[in-house]
Amino acid sequence: MAQSSEIRDQRSVRRLIAAAGFAVLLFTAGCRQDMQDQPKMVPQRGTEFFADHRGARPQVLNTVARGQLHEDSYFYTGVVVGANGYREEQNLMPFPVTLQVLQRGQERFNIYCTPCHSRVGNGLGEIVERGYKPAANLHDQVRTAQPISHYFYVMTHGYGAMPDYSAQLTPEDRWAVAAYIRALQLSQAATAQDVPAGVQVQELKAIAEAKGHPEYAQPWALPATAVQAYPADAKQGTPGMAPAYPADPKISIPASKPAPAAAK
Ligand code: HEC
């Protein structure tokens, strides 16, 4: 009997020690020194460290952050500031258009623009067929008369119901897409005379049949233009921009800046 009560006492002492140990563990865990307590600058909060008590430091005068020297502002903005102080769009590519540039533009256009503008750029993409506001028909008189940097500007800032694509497309890509839009416009306005000698021209339907593609590959028609559907669109230009370019039904091919001379 005496022996069994001794065992019980020993057990409860052990339990007590274990419980105390656990409590100490909990206590010390709560006391750890966190990195969040180290001295540091908190955004929008003052500091005693600098004489002017500003935690956020002003930019160092006359310095440019790495990768932010946007010397060629036309390349990054698509506008130049004219004599009248207006920002003006230009029918000028900031770099020469090569086949590679056009292919890149075609690829990016097909990824990012066709959902609304369709592959041929008539503004009747899948999303529009499902009820979105008709996207601009890139072949109508208003759009073909716009200088090429207007397309760059629209991709950079968005336009009306169209979101901007500056996050998805680098400036290089936006210019490539703009160049491709011009190629699309030329292709859709092409006549038999534009076809090189010896090249055969066929109806889309005939090609589809020959290749065994589905029958619905029909030639597309220009829609009864978006200009009529949305009279406000007929106004030319972009808010805040130099007003109205002369409406030129011909598609003007932009000049491009010469390639920078190769470093010797
Ligand atoms: C989500 C649908 C959508 C996508 C994707 C889209 N657009 Fe648009 N876009 C529109 C709509 C809608 C308009 C007409 C805007 C309005 O009138 O509110 C428009 C208008 C335009 C215009 C004409 C602007 C003017 O001055 O009339 C251009 C150029 C254009 N888009 C180019 C592009 C390019 C290039 C891309 C791909 C990078 C693109 N869009 C992707 C919906 C889209």
Side-chain angles (χ1 to χ4, degrees), residues 130-176:
R130 284 161 175 72
Y132 200 75
K133 181 180 176 186
N137 167 15
L138 301 175
H139 305 288
D140 67 24
Q141 281 214 356
V142 175
R143 272 26 92 149
T144 49
Q146 283 159 341
I148 197 161
S149 88
H150 179 70
Y151 310 141
F152 178 91
Y153 195 88
V154 169
M155 283 180 259
T156 307
H157 299 283
Y159 185 88
M162 180 182 144
D164 76 86
Y165 281 82
S166 55
Q168 294 88 338
L169 298 168
T170 61
E172 287 90 338
D173 278 346
R174 276 173 256 156
W175 283 114

Side-chain angles (χ1 to χ4, degrees), residues 203-209 211-220:
E203 280 283 329
L204 199 56
K205 196 168 188 290
I207 298 171
E209 261 166 27
K211 293 197 171 177
H213 292 323
E215 231 180 80
Y216 52 74
Q218 302 286 346
W220 67 277

Side-chain angles (χ1 to χ4, degrees), residues 89 108-117 123 127-128 132-138 140 142-143 146 150-152 154-155 158-165 168-169 174 177-178 181 185 226 230 232-233 235-238 245:
E89 293 167 339
R108 296 293 109 177
F109 181 92
N110 286 347
I111 293 169
Y112 292 112
C113 316
T114 50
C116 296
H117 288 274
I127 297 180
V128 173
Y132 200 75
K133 181 180 176 186
N137 167 15
L138 301 175
D140 67 24
V142 175
R143 272 26 92 149
Q146 283 159 341
H150 179 70
Y151 310 141
F152 178 91
V154 169
M155 283 180 259
Y159 185 88
M162 180 182 144
D164 76 86
Y165 281 82
Q168 294 88 338
L169 298 168
R174 276 173 256 156
V177 170
I181 290 177
Q185 291 168 339
Y230 292 92
D233 289 356
K235 283 202 306 278
Q236 286 187 47
T238 306
Y245 327 102

